[in-house]
Amino acid sequence: DIAPVTGTTEFRRARLTLAGKAYGWEYKLEQDFSAGTNLDGLRDAYIATGLWGGKATIGHFKPYRSMEELTSSNEILMMERPFASATGLFSGRQFQQGVGYQRSADNYTAGFTVFNLRGASGARNEGMGVSGRATWAPINSDNQTLHFGGWASQENANQGSTDLSAVANYAGRRGPAQTIATTTGASRNQVTSYGLEAAGAFGPLFFQGEYVNATFGQPLGRDQDVVTWYLQGSWLINGGHRGYKSATGVFAAPRVTDKGLWELAARYDTIENRDIANRRATAVILGVNYYVNANLRFMFNYTLGDNEVSGDKTRQYALRTQFAW
């Protein structure tokens, strides 16, 4: 049988951000109207201040884990993040309520987060989590950066916790999804993850990859090991460079000056449950980005999805227009 071809349009993101400083404290409040109203669309909602040479953050924000997860949605290479993020491994757990602390310099970052397993719109629960991330950039100049990093995360389900799942949207965000592993909230088990990062930008060339090993606790039988990794890269064919954000240890979108920039991009992405036969999904993405100016860009992605659970091989063409100011 031939699967039906479907097409649609949507507001992927429609965010309004309020940020600034008051009485020596930073604040940020961000609402994504495309994700719903009230708390459903709440993203960052925190206050922060300098402390002991670093920065302390209190509120609703992303835990320090996964390089691509911490990269702004305005600056990610592809339309969607890889499986080593809340797009896969931490499905439904992108923003959490907690406390974080981070220090940084030109060549390193180090931070940790303690958080409740509750997003803004979720029910109250007693689940807790902790994460930490450290990065080092032995080369970091205006036109060359080499980055290495590592991170760890542990989520402990407890009374009232929802299920902790890894879910792969292997053919784009609105394409089919496959659950890779689940730790039920009722089991009060843990999900523990360890990740390694390597990335670099040398003139117009850019590459980034992460390898993650996660263990999903099970109430009966052995725990399930999930491995996910991706490798992505790009070439700015008419000049330009992806700069490095030393304060957070991630890469920014290229800076556009007097001309538009064209970028060719590609990613290989895979996630697999090593304890269940054929529980694996992969995605190959080919992309073209055109940066009109500092605020406007157009993105095209062609995704070749592969789900070994069902044998599905969905393909997707997607076009995105992004305007941010």
Side-chain angles (χ1 to χ4, degrees), residues 8-22:
T8 187
T9 61
E10 66 171 335
F11 282 101
R12 175 62 183 87
R13 296 178 179 89
R15 296 185 178 181
L16 183 63
T17 305
L18 177 66
K21 290 187 176 181

Side-chain angles (χ1 to χ4, degrees), residues 200-316:
F202 297 88
L205 300 177
F206 167 74
F207 76 91
Q208 179 178 307
E210 292 185 76
Y211 179 91
V212 185
N213 195 316
T215 301
F216 284 72
Q218 302 298 310
L220 299 174
R222 62 177 294 177
D223 295 342
Q224 296 178 7
D225 289 330
V226 172
V227 172
T228 179
W229 64 273
Y230 71 90
L231 180 63
Q232 63 185 19
S234 72
W235 173 37
L236 290 155
I237 60 179
N238 63 331
H241 174 71
R242 281 187 169 265
Y244 186 64
K245 294 186 172 182
S246 299
T248 53
V250 300
F251 284 87
R255 183 177 299 176
V256 184
T257 54
D258 58 340
K259 62 179 180 180
L261 298 179
W262 287 92
E263 183 177 40
L264 300 180
R267 176 196 291 160
Y268 178 82
D269 194 12
T270 182
I271 186 169
E272 179 181 10
N273 187 324
R274 294 287 179 85
D275 292 293
I276 300 179
N278 300 320
R279 184 64 61 90
R280 182 170 180 258
T282 61
V284 175
I285 306 176
L286 305 176
V288 178
N289 300 324
Y290 178 54
Y291 303 85
V292 180
N293 52 47
N295 305 103
L296 176 64
R297 74 165 163 169
F298 297 96
M299 306 177 71
F300 171 78
N301 283 180
Y302 173 52
T303 303
L304 297 86
D306 187 358
N307 180 1
E308 293 191 5
V309 180
S310 62
D312 175 62
K313 297 181 183 295
T314 298
R315 306 292 188 253
Q316 184 189 78

Side-chain angles (χ1 to χ4, degrees), residues 158-179:
N158 208 325
Q159 183 174 334
S161 297
T162 58
D163 293 350
L164 308 177
S165 298
V167 180
N169 290 84
Y170 56 91
R173 181 177 179 83
R174 296 304 181 191
Q178 175 62 55
T179 299

Side-chain angles (χ1 to χ4, degrees), residues 34-55:
S34 68
T37 58
N38 302 321
L39 295 179
D40 290 334
L42 188 64
R43 296 299 180 250
D44 282 317
Y46 63 77
I47 57 175
T49 188
L51 180 67
W52 303 327
K55 179 179 177 181

